[in-house]
Amino acid sequence: MAHKLVYGLGGGLVYSCGSKGKWKTVLPKLLLSVDNDYLISTVDMSQVAAKVIYNTVGQDRLYLDSGGFTLYKYQCKRDTALAALDPNDPDYQAKADAINKKFSDECDRMARKFEKMLQICKYKEIFELDNEYFRADSDPLSTKNYCRELVMKYQGFYPTPVFKMHQGFQYWKDLCDSPLYPKLSIGGLAQTRDWKKHRPELVKMMNYARQCGKKVHLLGCQNVETFKMLNRTLSTIPSSNTQSIWRTPKKNIRNLPHTKTSKSTRYFMPLPERSQGHSCMTPTSEHLNTRALR
């Protein structure tokens, strides 16, 4: 049975496996040391590294993140900069236009990188470019939104919609009821306490998704207790969950698969625990200071 934990690979991990091309031989050994699936990001993964990863693990173990969360952070900076402008300033409009153009340039750049990533590899699952900049239709279910048709063009399927809690339960129900999207994801909560805050809603959402036969991915869910709680509630078990690979002091990782990097640290991937007929990951609290992709 497939592991529920999907490891998020950062570009930094790739090149820590060795300089001057050495990483191209070390990284595959690291990836093959466990049999979990992997997620790479449009944001920080080079096309060369993506191809090496794809050639190592294949389509059935590779996920692609579009970079939507990074664009959300750019959007927050844009909104802060716009709010700081003085409406009475004679140059207000010019300054506002410059701020908006900077944001739109970032979005266009991310879309170009995303398209390149779609062209060079085949993926098991892809998460849509979920920023309102890419909203082309008033109907949120439309395939014209969030580069969904772009993914279909290169991959032959629509990307997994990324639901955020502020979008409301009705949109979640509409996604579950739609035949267009067999897989769904819940995002926007990575590295926050909101996973705990929204537990009752998550249970309700997962139950409805199961009734509709949908698979659900928790993007960047690093709140271990929430993940355990959903696993204990048999009718709401998530299909998969993303966590990043983390760094740990060398002295703590004896007998674990690791790469030869610096003298003080190693990157490693913990071996998942198995229980109740399925595979899941139950990391300790020391593992929570890791960078999530979403």
Side-chain angles (χ1 to χ4, degrees):
M1 185 176 291
H3 291 290
K4 291 183 178 299
L5 182 65
V6 178
Y7 291 132
L9 300 178
L13 170 66
V14 170
Y15 298 108
S16 75
C17 291
S19 60
K20 298 181 180 180
K22 183 180 178 182
W23 64 270
K24 293 182 180 180
T25 57
V26 175
L27 179 63
K29 296 178 182 179
L30 178 67
L31 297 177
L32 295 174
S33 65
V34 294
D35 55 359
N36 295 71
D37 293 346
Y38 296 100
L39 180 144
I40 60 176
S41 175
T42 301
V43 177
D44 66 349
M45 189 62 66
S46 73
Q47 295 176 37
V48 173
K51 195 67 176 177
V52 170
I53 295 168
Y54 171 68
N55 289 337
T56 301
V57 303
Q59 177 180 359
D60 291 341
R61 293 179 60 194
L62 191 59
Y63 292 59
L64 177 65
D65 180 79
S66 63
F69 185 63
T70 295
L71 290 183
Y72 168 72
K73 291 189 289 186
Y74 286 142
Q75 180 179 324
C76 290
K77 291 180 180 179
R78 179 203 63 180
D79 294 346
T80 299
L82 288 173
L85 294 179
D86 181 0
N88 297 319
D89 186 340
D91 297 325
Y92 172 82
Q93 192 58 53
K95 292 179 180 179
D97 290 345
I99 293 171
N100 284 320
K101 184 179 185 306
K102 183 178 180 181
F103 174 67
S104 64
D105 288 346
E106 290 288 355
C107 290
D108 292 338
R109 182 179 66 86
M110 189 70 75
R112 290 193 296 270
K113 290 181 64 179
F114 185 46
E115 184 172 11
K116 288 290 186 181
M117 297 293 276
L118 293 174
Q119 292 174 329
I120 62 175
C121 301
K122 293 294 184 180
Y123 302 92
K124 179 178 181 178
E125 189 168 352
I126 299 169
F127 300 100
E128 66 185 6
L129 197 45
D130 56 317
N131 189 279
E132 291 305 296
Y133 181 83
F134 300 103
R135 176 81 172 266
D137 193 296
S138 59
D139 179 5
L141 295 178
S142 172
T143 59
K144 296 179 181 179
N145 295 328
Y146 313 127
C147 297
R148 290 167 179 167
E149 292 184 344
L150 185 68
V151 175
M152 172 62 78
K153 174 183 176 181
Y154 291 109
Q155 300 286 320
F157 58 85
Y158 291 119
T160 300
V162 180
F163 175 85
K164 276 83 66 179
M165 301 304 291
H166 68 82
Q167 293 174 305
F169 188 63
Q170 184 58 52
Y171 178 45
W172 179 257
K173 289 183 66 177
D174 291 342
L175 285 170
C176 291
D177 294 337
S178 172
L180 292 172
Y181 312 110
K183 299 177 181 179
L184 305 176
S185 66
I186 301 173
L189 300 177
Q191 289 184 307
T192 72
R193 297 179 179 178
D194 286 345
W195 288 109
K196 180 177 180 180
K197 174 183 174 182
H198 291 291
R199 283 179 187 175
E201 296 150 274
L202 288 170
V203 169
K204 180 182 178 182
M205 291 165 58
M206 297 291 288
N207 276 330
Y208 191 79
R210 281 289 178 266
Q211 293 173 19
C212 297
K214 301 287 183 172
K215 293 185 177 181
V216 180
H217 185 98
L218 305 181
L219 276 165
C221 179
Q222 298 191 85
N223 188 297
V224 178
E225 291 305 316
T226 296
F227 188 63
K228 285 182 178 180
M229 181 272 294
L230 291 175
N231 273 280
R232 285 195 298 267
T233 309
L234 296 181
S235 62
T236 62
I237 292 177
S239 301
S240 52
N241 171 48
T242 305
Q243 262 192 7
S244 297
I245 294 173
W246 53 80
R247 289 170 55 138
T248 188
K250 179 175 64 175
K251 63 182 180 180
N252 293 335
I253 62 167
R254 294 169 183 168
N255 302 321
L256 289 171
H258 63 278
T259 65
K260 294 182 179 180
T261 56
S262 68
K263 294 181 179 179
S264 59
T265 62
R266 297 289 188 274
Y267 286 92
F268 79 100
M269 292 172 287
L271 299 178
E273 296 181 6
R274 296 179 181 272
S275 62
Q276 299 180 0
H278 64 270
S279 301
C280 64
M281 167 65 184
T282 54
T284 61
S285 59
E286 68 178 291
H287 296 153
L288 298 181
N289 58 346
T290 175
R291 182 180 64 82
L293 290 175
R294 180 169 293 274

